[in-house]
Structure formats: structure tokens, C-alpha cells
Amino acid sequence: MQRLIFATLLSSLLFAACSPEEQVQAVNPDAAFPMVDRDLENIQESGVLRAITVYSETSYFLYRGQPMGFEYELLTRLADHLGVRLEIVPAHDLDELINMLNRGEGDLIAHGLTITKPRKQYIDFTRYLYLTKQVLVQRKPEDWRNWKLHEIERTLVSDPIELIEDTVSVRLASAYYDRLKNLEQEIGGDIYIDTVSGDLSTGRIIKKVVEGELDYTVADDNIAEINSAYYPILDVSTPISFSQRAAWAVRKNAPNLLQTLNTWVEEMRQKTDYYVIYNKYFENKRAFRARIESEFFSEAGGKISRYDSVVKQFSDSLNWDWRFLSALIYQESQFNPSATSWAKAKGLMQLMPATARELGVSDRTNPEDNLEAGTAYLEELYNRWESIPDSVQRVKFALASYNCGYQHVVDAQDLAEKYGKDPGVWDEQVEVFVKRLSYPKYYNDPVVDYGYVRGIEPVTYVDQIFERFEHYQQLIPEES
């Protein structure tokens, strides 16, 4: 009841303070304040950091089977710093970022949000990650290469005052919308603001300008510049704001998380690693072009690798999601059919010579033969673990066996039973003893028949395949 009264009061105050144009972008009253209590200690206790981020060509995406992005790379380092597992929560509607955070769908917003006073009413910003300014994104004439520079310039908006009575397209809950509303006051004239769908990233809106669907949009200069390097028909030289700070954000009831993030951001910005990551996504024009042009860029069409069709064929025989099998193949070879390990394993699924001979494979670099044999071997291992009742746990036993050998996993299972753990569960049970098989006390135990194994490798192997599968599920449609 108290929350309902507060929400009603807040709603009336917000609408009373806003003009009709601004009312629609007010934060949802039900999510204007934190709806969950979850601070740093809760995150570390759960072992999971849930980060809300944006699927875009700079923040978070998939390229050649690997999750990438400025925010993603920083988040992986943050999760390591906190000693927790990272869980990405993609925002499908960018207008919902603050609402998602306050509803508890994530622990922080990991996106370059412009720090503004209206937003600070609802969320707490971290120390800024970088400085930016907003610029107008517009299209040069179609045959601009045949024009002289001064002729091109005459066709472009070079001063914001020229936007009076013109239409600019931006997302409703963006800082760009707020800036355009303020600009109207400054120039003393109307700008027609066309609000586009919240599911469009800034990069995708820019592409609509390139294709002539929109006349103008606004973007942070780092995003605008990297896009203009790929689309030379764009002009991004007209600023419409002073410098602004871009940062991540947390709920207002997470002071310990905020303090830790502030310290981490300040330390991170002193490291060369930070600037390498920033340059990779906002300065390296050649790499940006390579990603955008690739059919294996997740925004371009839902492909993971050039072997998707044959992976789908053989995943059916396992009754596995083809994206899961793709995650395993990436882990084994990064989709390189000629990959060879120090142990002489070769091909997409890293078949050992003896396994290949047993399965009748003469050329392990042949993608189709390698996949057929590898999936047949996986199926055999999966069937050998039929005593495991839970199907997900059974898959983990099969994956670990594929990595380090079936008998080593049986040894770990026997140790688990000896020490009072559940031999039918991988997570935090048998996996613990797989790791312990690296120590003499355990690999010399009487119940162990096959001795030493570097146990951290199969445990990491299983974890990373499942983690990569989560990314594939988020970014690649099952039927693509």
C-alpha cells in the first residue's frame, strides 16, 4: 500500500513538472525507485554479477563465434576483479534501461549513459568512463565524390540553428532527445523530434540515415566517428553539445557496489589495457570495417561460423541445440579445421589420432568427417553416462569426458562418493574432485585407477562452453 501511494504521488509530481512532450519519457513510476535490495555483498554471495547492456556494434555482439564489445570486455575484467561469474542481460528496448535496473533485472547498467541531472534522480552513476559530445549525423549528397568540398558543405547543416522546422530522429528516453529539447529553447525555434523504437541501437539508427530512411539523427561523437569511417557518405562534423561524461549506473540502494565500481573505474582508466580496449572499438577503423562486413557479425544475419549448416546436421543426431554444439567446437578449435594441439588432436572437434582411426576418419582436417566422428564420439560418451538422471548434468559429464577422458571422470566420481558428495551431480560435487586429481593425495588414492589429470582444464572447459552457449542463445536465433 505504501509503495502504491508513493508511486501515485510520484506520478502526479512528474506529470505536473513536465511539459506534454516530456511527460511520455518520464520513468515508469513503479520503477522509479529500487524494487529489490541487492548490493555488493549479495552479488558476491550469489557468485553472479548481472549486467544490463546493449546489443550493438560497439557494446556487445558476436563476431566469428566470440562475444566481444567495449562493455563486454570491461565487464569480464570487472567480474574477475569481484571474483564472480558474469551474466549478461541484454536490453531489447533501450528506453527501458533504468526501469530494468530498478526492477532488479540486473545489478548495473553497463552502457555509456550520458550523466544528466534528470537521470540522477533515479540512478547513481559511476565515475565516468570517457568524455564525449553529441553530434548531428547527416548524409552527404549521393554523388558527393564528384562535388567540390565547398559545394558539399553548402548542402549540410553546419549550425544547429539550421535545424529549425527540420526533423531529427532519436530514441525517446535518450540523452539525445533531452538535448534536442534544450536546443529548441536555445535557438528559439521548433525542431520536429521523430522518436524511433527503443529496440534500435544508435548504430542501427545511423544506418537508417545512411540508407535514406531518416534525414538526421544524433549520436555520441565516438560512435558517430567510427560509423562515418565505414560509411563515408556520412557527415558528423556538426556538434550540438558541449563535452559530456559517459558512465555506468547502479540502483540508489547499492552504495557498496557504487563505491567498489568507482574505485575500479578509476584504477582501470590508469591502465594501458583500458585504452587498448577503447581504441579497439572506437578508434580502430580497419577492425570495425572487418566486423561490419563479415557475415559472421551477429548483427548481420545470425551466423556463427561457415560450418553452421553441417553443425545443424550433426547436432540433430545428438538431439542438441546446434548453438550448443557450436560453442563446443569454438572451444576446441575456434572453427579452424586445421587446428592442431600439442597432444596431436586435430580438426574442428580436435580428434585424437586413435579416436579418428577407431571411427574410420583418415583426414581429420575434413570438416564434415571430423564433425561426424566427433559427434559420434560425444554421443557414445553421453550414452555411457545414462545413470545420471538430470540431462544437463549428464551433458556436463559427457563434455568433461570428451576433454580429459571418461576414466578420469569416473575416478573423480569415485572420489566424490568416498568423501560423501553426490556422484551423480557435476556442479560443486564431482567437478571438485576432478580438480583435486591434480594433487598426489587424491590421484594416489586407492579408489583412483587412472592417476593424475590436470583437473582445472575439464572444469574450465565445461564452464566456458555453457557460458558461450548463453551468449549464442542471446545473440543468435535458434532458426537462422
Side-chain angles (χ1 to χ4, degrees), residues 30-131:
D30 289 333
F33 57 94
M35 300 175 69
V36 296
D37 291 314
R38 182 174 161 87
D39 203 348
L40 178 64
E41 55 274 18
N42 307 109
I43 292 167
Q44 292 181 318
E45 184 179 352
S46 71
V48 178
L49 174 69
R50 298 180 311 203
I52 301 168
T53 194
V54 173
Y55 174 40
S56 75
E57 69 279 6
T58 52
S59 287
Y60 172 56
F61 57 88
L62 200 67
Y63 177 57
R64 295 189 178 276
Q66 175 69 13
M68 298 179 70
F70 176 72
E71 262 74 25
Y72 176 73
E73 291 206 29
L74 290 182
L75 283 168
T76 58
R77 287 158 176 77
L78 174 61
D80 288 343
H81 174 74
L82 297 178
V84 295
R85 181 175 69 84
L86 173 64
E87 181 182 314
I88 296 289
V89 181
H92 301 294
D93 184 340
L94 277 70
D95 291 345
E96 280 287 300
L97 286 170
I98 293 175
N99 295 330
M100 289 177 68
L101 178 67
N102 280 334
R103 284 197 298 261
E105 295 176 34
D107 301 311
L108 75 156
I109 299 173
H111 182 58
L113 288 176
T114 304
I115 299 175
T116 64
K117 278 190 174 181
R119 284 173 169 169
K120 288 169 77 173
Q121 297 176 66
Y122 312 113
I123 53 178
D124 283 336
F125 285 98
T126 66
R127 297 282 191 268
Y128 75 87
L129 286 162
Y130 53 83
L131 296 176

Side-chain angles (χ1 to χ4, degrees), residues 435-452:
K435 287 189 282 191
R436 290 181 182 177
L437 282 171
S438 299
Y439 301 100
K441 174 183 174 180
Y442 295 97
Y443 67 69
N444 288 322
D445 191 287
V447 303
V448 172
D449 295 324
Y450 286 83
Y452 171 86

Side-chain angles (χ1 to χ4, degrees), residues 143-418:
D143 57 343
W144 65 275
R145 294 183 188 276
N146 299 322
W147 292 36
K148 293 179 181 178
L149 180 59
H150 70 277
E151 294 174 332
I152 296 172
E153 289 175 345
R154 279 202 300 264
T155 71
L156 300 174
V157 171
S158 58
D159 189 305
I161 203 166
E162 297 171 44
L163 290 173
I164 293 176
E165 304 298 328
D166 239 325
T167 301
V168 184
S169 303
V170 294
R171 289 187 307 274
L172 180 62
S174 66
Y176 311 138
Y177 181 96
D178 295 337
R179 178 61 197 137
L180 289 170
K181 296 300 293 182
N182 289 334
L183 188 59
E184 284 185 310
Q185 303 301 315
E186 295 166 15
I187 64 179
D190 292 331
I191 299 172
Y192 300 116
I193 306 175
D194 167 37
T195 53
V196 300
S197 173
D199 66 0
L200 292 174
S201 67
T202 301
R204 289 171 67 189
I205 298 171
I206 289 174
K207 190 175 180 183
K208 288 181 177 292
V209 174
V210 172
E211 293 169 347
E213 293 182 40
L214 304 174
D215 291 329
Y216 304 104
T217 191
V218 177
D220 290 342
D221 62 349
N222 56 354
I223 297 174
E225 290 284 353
I226 196 71
N227 274 276
S228 68
Y230 181 66
Y231 301 113
I233 197 171
L234 291 177
D235 178 87
V236 298
S237 62
T238 303
I240 66 165
S241 79
F242 296 109
S243 291
Q244 296 174 306
R245 296 168 296 163
W248 292 355
V250 301
R251 283 183 294 274
K252 282 190 165 293
N253 64 346
N256 296 332
L257 177 60
L258 179 63
Q259 182 179 3
T260 298
L261 282 174
N262 284 339
T263 302
W264 179 80
V265 168
E266 289 179 345
E267 291 175 352
M268 192 70 194
R269 287 184 57 221
Q270 300 302 314
K271 296 179 180 178
T272 302
D273 198 25
Y274 171 82
Y275 294 96
V276 169
I277 296 169
Y278 183 89
N279 290 339
K280 179 177 180 180
Y281 294 104
F282 296 113
E283 301 287 348
N284 191 329
K285 297 176 175 63
R286 180 177 297 179
F288 183 81
R289 179 181 294 274
R291 290 197 299 270
I292 295 296
E293 291 179 344
S294 173
E295 62 181 321
F296 307 118
F297 173 55
S298 53
E299 279 208 335
K303 291 186 177 180
I304 297 177
S305 79
R306 69 187 61 190
Y307 305 108
D308 286 358
S309 60
V310 68
V311 170
K312 290 175 183 178
Q313 175 188 341
F314 290 114
S315 66
D316 285 346
S317 65
L318 286 167
N319 199 26
W320 284 10
D321 188 313
W322 72 276
R323 297 167 298 180
F324 187 81
L325 182 57
S326 294
L328 181 151
I329 296 166
Y330 182 92
Q331 189 74 18
E332 290 288 351
S333 65
Q334 297 187 19
F335 302 110
N336 178 3
S338 302
T340 305
S341 77
W342 63 270
K344 308 297 184 186
K346 184 176 286 188
L348 290 177
M349 293 188 66
Q350 291 291 279
L351 290 179
M352 294 293 287
T355 305
R357 284 194 300 272
E358 182 181 336
L359 294 169
V361 176
S362 57
D363 181 6
R364 287 179 289 159
T365 64
N366 180 289
E368 189 162 343
D369 289 350
N370 192 287
L371 283 170
E372 182 175 17
T375 52
Y377 182 47
L378 265 176
E379 185 174 16
E380 176 189 326
L381 291 170
Y382 183 77
N383 290 337
R384 293 178 81 172
W385 291 109
E386 62 181 354
S387 62
I388 306 298
D390 182 90
S391 60
V392 174
Q393 295 299 311
R394 185 175 174 185
V395 166
K396 292 183 177 184
F397 276 90
L399 293 180
S401 303
Y402 192 87
N403 178 261
C404 71
Y406 172 77
Q407 296 297 347
H408 285 304
V409 182
V410 171
D411 282 343
Q413 196 180 35
D414 291 340
L415 280 171
E417 188 168 20
K418 177 177 178 176

